[in-house]
Amino acid sequence: MAVERIQLYSEREVAKVRVAAQAAAEVLSRLCDAVQPGLSTLDLDNLAGEFIREVGGRSGSLNYHGFPRQVCISLNDEVVHGIGRADRIIQFGDLVKIDVVVEVDGYYGDNARTVCAGGSPDQLSAQLMSVTEESLKAGIAAAVDGATVNDVSIAVQRVVESAGFSCVRDMVGHGCGKHMHEPPEVPNFRMRAKSPRLVPGMIICIEPMVNVGDWRIEIDAADRWTCRTLDHSLSAHFENQILITKKNPEILTVCQKKPIA
């Protein structure tokens, strides 16, 4: 973790996080629209670099502990942290997970989405994406003042496991604002230990990583980054950055950019 204590953000600081979150949301939206069969994942990463520059930001992923690309692009059984490669060609029906972190003026925005290349997922892929997105919505709905991180975790897990899928346990959500990764950790499954209480001013990233099969994962031995399902089953990933308020949680990573006419 970048810092040891949970950061509470002032209104001035929240305004700066909003700028970064909006930048990250716009980049992610544009990248998802650009996904198509025949592109390499490196092509997509190069587009990400262009889009990040256009929104006035800097990639939060590039060179983070040595990560070599602008964003994380993971296909099919790859859960997260996939590295763009010229020889990794997106095929029709591939599940493409894109995780975008943008830093603007010292503050970070972080979000992720799963799309199907070609726009026509098979029944299992469609269900997996739908369940993962619904579990994210359930987690966000539970992220209210006075609740705990564990309440969020339980809400996510309930949706996922009721559909017969599993939540990855070795990768979790996190705080995010002045650093890409801050306390608290936000698991997608119930923790037995006492968890932090949510209070206004906290900013967290809720990010269900959901597998069709077993929850266990493995890290690629060659690149030491790409995370895959151990049983090679499909995986989906959705993420939003959330501000805890006195009322309803505010989703910071909603793309506000109007479509070009």
Side-chain angles (χ1 to χ4, degrees):
M1 285 292 181
V3 291
E4 294 183 353
R5 63 182 181 84
I6 295 175
Q7 177 75 40
L8 297 183
Y9 286 89
S10 67
E11 290 185 11
R12 182 189 66 81
E13 291 170 325
V14 167
K16 289 182 176 291
V17 177
R18 281 197 186 99
V19 171
Q22 283 297 303
E26 180 181 334
V27 170
L28 178 60
S29 178
R30 294 175 68 183
L31 284 174
C32 288
D33 288 345
V35 169
Q36 60 180 322
L39 279 181
S40 73
T41 55
L42 182 58
D43 290 333
L44 204 56
D45 192 81
N46 288 336
L47 279 176
E50 294 177 17
F51 296 161
I52 291 169
R53 287 190 292 273
E54 288 172 7
V55 298
R58 180 189 68 84
S59 169
S61 298
L62 183 63
N63 297 322
Y64 179 78
H65 294 299
F67 188 79
R69 295 288 184 258
Q70 301 284 340
V71 297
C72 298
I73 304 170
S74 311
L75 306 184
N76 300 323
D77 68 334
E78 297 168 355
V79 180
V80 287
H81 302 163
I83 297 172
R85 290 169 26 191
D87 63 348
R88 190 79 159 104
I89 307 301
I90 297 171
Q91 305 295 322
F92 185 88
D94 278 350
L95 291 191
V96 183
K97 283 137 280 184
I98 307 174
D99 192 343
V100 174
V101 183
V102 176
E103 180 263 318
V104 179
D105 194 26
Y107 292 82
Y108 287 80
D110 187 1
N111 57 173
R113 194 186 308 170
T114 303
V115 296
C116 180
S120 300
D122 60 31
Q123 184 175 356
L124 180 60
S125 296
Q127 183 187 13
L128 175 63
M129 288 191 292
S130 176
V131 167
T132 307
E133 190 166 19
E134 286 304 312
S135 73
L136 172 58
K137 291 177 181 177
I140 293 171
V144 296
D145 179 21
T148 66
V149 169
N150 214 22
D151 292 325
V152 174
S153 305
I154 291 168
V156 171
Q157 184 178 22
R158 183 178 294 120
V159 172
V160 171
E161 293 187 351
S162 67
F165 298 145
S166 63
C167 298
V168 171
R169 297 189 174 220
D170 296 323
M171 302 284 180
V172 298
H174 51 89
C176 181
K178 292 180 179 178
H179 305 85
M180 179 163 63
H181 291 133
E182 299 176 352
E185 291 189 342
V186 185
N188 296 305
F189 57 95
R190 182 180 181 274
M191 298 291 290
R192 296 190 180 277
K194 183 178 179 180
S195 68
R197 191 162 298 279
L198 301 175
V199 298
M202 288 175 62
I203 297 177
I204 59 174
C205 289
I206 304 173
E207 51 176 320
M209 290 154 275
V210 178
N211 299 345
V212 167
D214 192 87
W215 61 264
R216 290 175 295 176
I217 59 173
E218 60 182 358
I219 306 300
D220 188 281
D223 69 32
R224 299 185 180 183
W225 278 103
T226 305
C227 168
R228 294 185 179 88
T229 57
L230 187 62
D231 60 7
H232 301 294
S233 61
L234 287 174
S235 186
H237 178 209
F238 284 82
E239 175 184 17
N240 271 319
Q241 188 174 10
I242 309 300
L243 170 68
I244 308 302
T245 77
K246 292 181 178 179
K247 297 181 180 179
N248 295 322
E250 177 185 345
I251 303 174
L252 301 175
T253 42
V254 174
C255 184
Q256 302 292 347
K257 184 177 176 62
K258 295 180 180 178
I260 298 174

